[in-house]
Amino acid sequence: MVDTSERLQRATPGAGPRARASRSAADRVLATLRAEIVDGTLTPGTPLTEAQQAERLGVSRTPVREALARLIADGLVEERGPRTLLVSSIDPDDVVALFELRTTLDEQAARLAARRATHDDRAEFRALAARFGSVTVEFLRDDDTSRHGYYALVAAFDAAIDTALGGRSTYLAAAIESVRLHLARVRRLARDDDARLLTAAAEHRAIADAIADGDPERAVAATRLHLHNALTSIQSHLTSHDRQENP
């Protein structure tokens, strides 16, 4: 949640250097904590205190407080009592609900991208299709178990979708971005599943090819298949994880 003072600072063109520096520090803290929550460095249930995070990140408590408030609004951090903040848990029911929402949003995004893509956009999707087509086990393991190279490729694909949508779909793009944030956490449960990631790469290639060809319905069908398979895989990993935690 953005507090009144921050809204006023954003709305005031003449905000001074100190206010701008505070916002900049809060943005940096937000980006760091959000990335650590999404990639699993900060696991569900991890306590987050202003003092600890301020010391760890080398900033004052004010930008940490602002960043934590925004993470609460995003649903990545939850309050469990006075001054008690924890990284939010991943509920299997929430995962299903998120995928239901993302399926609707992504199908529409793929349809519009296929219709609206410019010549340059289509060239970008053809290049992305080729890159997804060249994904191998060696590529997946080239960096480390976090599969940063693969997820960077997925991020480039998402960015190409956003570009193809153009400025006429700002609400759709904003809604998709919110859902992506949460699903990125659970998606990485499959990071050790090379077989699934290879299949997902092929699915992304099919979507990119369809958009490059300007075929909206093929893009929708490929998107639907990809998200169905992704949900099935994630549910399997969540079940396996729960069995390990509660044998």
Side-chain angles (χ1 to χ4, degrees):
M1 180 181 297
V2 180
D3 61 24
T4 303
S5 62
E6 184 174 348
R7 282 196 292 266
L8 286 173
Q9 288 171 358
R10 289 179 176 178
T12 306
R18 181 176 297 179
R20 289 194 296 271
S22 176
R23 290 201 304 277
S24 178
D27 288 341
R28 291 195 302 271
V29 172
L30 175 66
T32 298
L33 292 178
R34 180 183 284 161
E36 290 177 343
I37 292 171
V38 169
D39 71 17
T41 301
L42 293 175
T43 58
T46 299
L48 299 173
T49 67
E50 290 179 14
Q52 281 182 324
Q53 298 305 317
E55 181 178 358
R56 182 173 76 92
L57 299 174
V59 297
S60 70
R61 293 176 63 169
T62 298
V64 173
R65 185 179 307 119
E66 293 177 10
L68 289 174
R70 290 158 72 178
L71 289 169
I72 291 171
D74 286 341
L76 296 176
V77 170
E78 56 188 25
E79 296 179 276
R80 288 290 184 86
R83 299 178 182 273
T84 303
L85 300 178
L86 304 176
V87 175
S88 61
S89 59
I90 299 174
D91 189 298
D93 291 337
D94 291 340
V95 172
V96 173
L98 284 167
F99 263 95
E100 290 174 346
L101 177 57
R102 184 166 185 184
T103 297
T104 299
L105 296 173
D106 277 16
E107 286 182 10
Q108 179 66 358
R111 179 182 289 109
L112 293 177
R115 289 175 179 170
R116 297 177 181 174
T118 64
H119 176 78
D120 288 344
D121 292 335
R122 297 189 195 285
E124 175 65 15
F125 279 107
R126 292 208 183 280
L128 285 167
R131 291 174 65 189
F132 278 115
S134 66
V135 170
T136 62
V137 172
E138 290 71 28
F139 170 82
L140 293 174
R141 298 177 179 176
D142 192 41
D143 44 18
D144 55 41
T145 56
S146 294
R147 309 297 193 253
H148 288 305
Y150 174 78
Y151 289 114
L153 181 53
V154 172
F157 174 83
D158 288 343
I161 291 283
D162 294 343
T163 299
L165 289 178
R168 290 177 291 171
S169 299
T170 53
Y171 291 110
L172 176 61
I176 290 173
E177 181 60 28
S178 176
V179 175
R180 281 177 187 161
L181 180 63
H182 291 277
L183 287 184
R185 299 178 70 194
V186 294
R187 183 179 63 191
R188 288 178 182 265
L189 290 171
R191 63 187 174 193
D192 294 326
D193 188 344
D194 290 340
R196 171 56 203 155
L197 294 184
L198 288 173
T199 301
E203 293 162 359
H204 275 98
R205 180 182 184 179
I207 301 169
D209 275 333
I211 294 174
D213 290 343
D215 189 332
E217 296 316 309
R218 202 170 96 232
V220 168
T223 298
R224 184 181 301 122
L225 175 64
H226 168 61
L227 292 175
H228 170 77
N229 290 343
L231 175 57
T232 299
S233 174
I234 287 171
Q235 286 177 314
S236 175
H237 283 280
L238 286 172
T239 300
S240 175
H241 178 75
D242 184 61
R243 286 173 180 168
Q244 292 175 6
E245 293 290 319
N246 304 284

